[in-house]
Amino acid sequence: EVQLVESGGGLVQPGGSLRLSCTVSGLNFINYPMGWFRQAPGKERERVSCIPGSGEDAYYAASVKGRFTVSRDKAKNTMYLQMSNLTPEDTAVYYCAADPDYQVLVVDTMCSGNFGYWGQGTQVTVSS
C-alpha cells in the first residue's frame, strides 16, 4: 500500500519558521517528481513547490519563492519543505504528492501535470 505521511505542521508566529516532512512508503523512492500543495479555507488548492527526481531546478510558486525551500532525502524516503518568514497568508493545510508514473514535468518555471498519490495533509497556522 502506498502511503504519504506529512508531519511538522503546527502553530507559528508571523516571521517564524517550520519544516514539513513527507515520508513515503510502498514506493521505491527513486527519481520521480514530488510536490507540495496547500489549501486554505474557502480557497482553491495551490501548487506550492515541486521537485524533480534529480532534486535540482525545483519549482516554487511566486507567493513562496525566496522563503520556502524544497528538498528530498532518498535514503530516508522523505521530502521536506523548509518554510521561513511565514505570514498569516501561509495558513493552510499542506499536502505532499508523488508522481511515480512520471506524468509531471518539473522545471524551475513550471510544475505541470497530475500527481497520482497524496498525503492526508498537515495544518500550518501562522498567527500571533
Side-chain angles (χ1 to χ4, degrees), residues 71-115:
S71 61
R72 61 195 298 167
D73 184 336
K74 295 181 182 180
K76 295 183 178 180
N77 279 14
T78 300
M79 175 180 64
Y80 303 98
L81 186 68
Q82 178 68 47
M83 307 185 294
S84 302
N85 196 19
L86 288 161
T87 73
E89 288 69 36
D90 295 315
T91 296
V93 178
Y94 284 71
Y95 301 89
C96 66
D99 171 41
D101 296 323
Y102 297 90
Q103 300 298 303
V104 176
L105 174 64
V106 181
V107 294
D108 58 350
T109 56
M110 181 176 62
C111 176
S112 177
N114 295 319
F115 288 86

Side-chain angles (χ1 to χ4, degrees), residues 59-78:
Y59 164 83
Y60 296 95
S63 57
V64 306
K65 199 166 187 177
R67 301 187 297 121
F68 290 12
T69 302
V70 64
S71 61
R72 61 195 298 167
D73 184 336
K74 295 181 182 180
K76 295 183 178 180
N77 279 14
T78 300

Side-chain angles (χ1 to χ4, degrees), residues 6-22 36-41 43 46 48 64 67-68 80-96 120-128:
E6 302 95 338
S7 61
L11 174 64
V12 62
Q13 292 187 342
S17 299
L18 279 176
R19 188 178 78 158
L20 305 183
S21 300
C22 171
W36 287 101
F37 294 74
R38 68 185 181 185
Q39 189 164 21
K43 294 187 177 181
E46 177 185 12
V48 174
V64 306
R67 301 187 297 121
F68 290 12
Y80 303 98
L81 186 68
Q82 178 68 47
M83 307 185 294
S84 302
N85 196 19
L86 288 161
T87 73
E89 288 69 36
D90 295 315
T91 296
V93 178
Y94 284 71
Y95 301 89
C96 66
Q120 293 300 306
T122 185
Q123 176 71 46
V124 171
T125 302
V126 185
S127 175
S128 56

